[in-house]
Amino acid sequence: MKRKDKIRATQLGLLVLSLTLWEGGARFGWIDPFFFPSPLSILQRLMEWFSSAQIWYDLGVTLLETVLSFIFGISGGILLGLWLGLSPFAASVLNPFIKVFNAIPRVLLAPIYVLWFGLGLTSKVALGLTLVFFVAFFNTLQGVREVNPVVLANARLLKASRMALLKHVYLPSAASWIISSLRVSVGLAVLGAVVAEYLGSSVGLGHMIAQAEGVMDATGVFAGLVLLSAFVVALDALVDRLEKRLLVWRPRENEEETALAAR
């Protein structure tokens, strides 16, 4: 059996064992199902949700908020990171302001965004954008600063223009940093959307979880968390495929296994 198959089998075994112990504990009274509902009851609640069309609308709204937060946050972070990475004077001027804003727990900005933009789409996107922005910004900035000085010196020796340096030296250096941060950015975009929905919304996954919490429905809360986890895993898989397509120079898992076996 290949190493990858062994890992998958072990993961599946741990999942089945955990769910079995959880279900048995709920059935035999080892855990209180009011606080920790059984996996079967959670599955039944999910089936009830998916039997109606409302769940698809909620998922669509959360997905839209996530995608917009991700796109705007990544774009703004990359542009500012490139600018400050290529402009030491501007970076020195703005550095204390960036540090102050970055020190603010950004989740706490959600109530302010609700006051500013209301309970609609804008406040959700604003919070997700804020969470994603700094991840993209700091990764881009670090990528620009980590450019190989020998390559940069050779390009300048060949009289490369500023635009050519950006295209052929700085961007390739920052690309791996930016792409590697996409997975974290997706999770933060989902977090921003769901937290904003939780604080004030009439649709979305966060609204569903907030409704279940309001009536002390632990089964609904756990079902919402399971659905949210599946939602993030699906987006993470898409980002993983994008990362493998863009970072073509990175050795793949089977190539790494072959190299390890040859040692």
Side-chain angles (χ1 to χ4, degrees), residues 10-258:
T10 304
Q11 291 173 338
L12 181 60
L14 288 174
L15 177 61
V16 172
L17 178 62
S18 301
L19 292 178
T20 302
L21 292 176
W22 186 359
E23 182 69 28
R27 286 182 178 272
F28 293 107
W30 299 335
I31 58 177
D32 190 346
F34 179 81
F35 298 104
F36 296 97
S38 67
L40 287 179
S41 63
I42 296 174
L43 178 61
Q44 183 179 4
R45 180 61 59 85
L46 288 172
M47 293 174 64
E48 292 176 1
W49 284 353
F50 279 99
S51 63
S52 66
Q54 180 63 34
I55 184 65
W56 298 108
Y57 181 70
D58 289 323
L59 285 172
V61 170
T62 302
L63 178 61
L64 176 61
E65 295 165 353
T66 299
V67 170
L68 292 178
S69 301
F70 181 78
I71 292 175
F72 292 141
I74 287 289
S75 301
I78 291 174
L79 291 176
L80 185 62
L82 287 174
W83 176 46
L84 296 187
L86 298 175
S87 177
F89 176 77
S92 299
V93 172
L94 297 179
N95 185 54
F97 301 100
I98 294 173
K99 286 184 176 180
V100 169
F101 195 77
N102 186 46
I104 300 174
R106 285 178 285 281
V107 174
L108 299 181
L109 295 174
I112 297 178
Y113 289 146
V114 170
L115 290 175
W116 288 352
F117 306 116
L119 297 175
L121 178 70
T122 307
S123 60
K124 281 69 175 176
V125 174
L127 180 59
L129 183 156
T130 307
L131 295 174
V132 172
F133 173 84
F134 281 98
V135 176
F137 165 71
F138 284 116
N139 276 273
T140 304
L141 182 63
Q142 189 64 28
V144 171
R145 290 176 175 176
E146 291 289 333
V147 64
N148 191 322
V150 176
V151 175
L152 183 60
N154 289 338
R156 286 173 173 167
L157 187 63
L158 295 172
K159 305 298 183 181
S161 64
R162 190 175 182 85
M163 185 59 64
L165 288 175
L166 176 63
K167 181 178 179 181
H168 299 289
V169 179
Y170 289 110
L171 278 178
S173 174
S176 59
W177 289 80
I178 296 170
I179 296 171
S180 297
S181 69
L182 293 182
R183 183 175 287 104
V184 178
S185 299
V186 166
L188 291 175
V190 176
L191 174 64
V194 172
V195 168
E197 290 172 351
Y198 181 84
L199 292 177
S201 178
S202 59
V203 290
L205 295 180
H207 170 68
M208 294 172 61
I209 296 174
Q211 273 192 321
E213 181 199 11
V215 294
M216 301 294 289
D217 179 13
T219 304
V221 173
F222 273 84
L225 293 177
V226 170
L227 185 57
L228 178 61
S229 300
F231 183 75
V232 175
V233 168
L235 292 178
D236 185 75
L238 292 176
V239 172
D240 187 58
R241 293 188 63 179
L242 176 64
E243 183 178 351
K244 289 179 180 178
R245 182 178 295 272
L246 295 177
L247 295 179
V248 293
W249 62 86
R250 177 180 294 178
R252 297 185 179 181
E253 188 174 353
N254 55 355
E255 296 176 354
E256 294 176 352
E257 292 180 10
T258 303

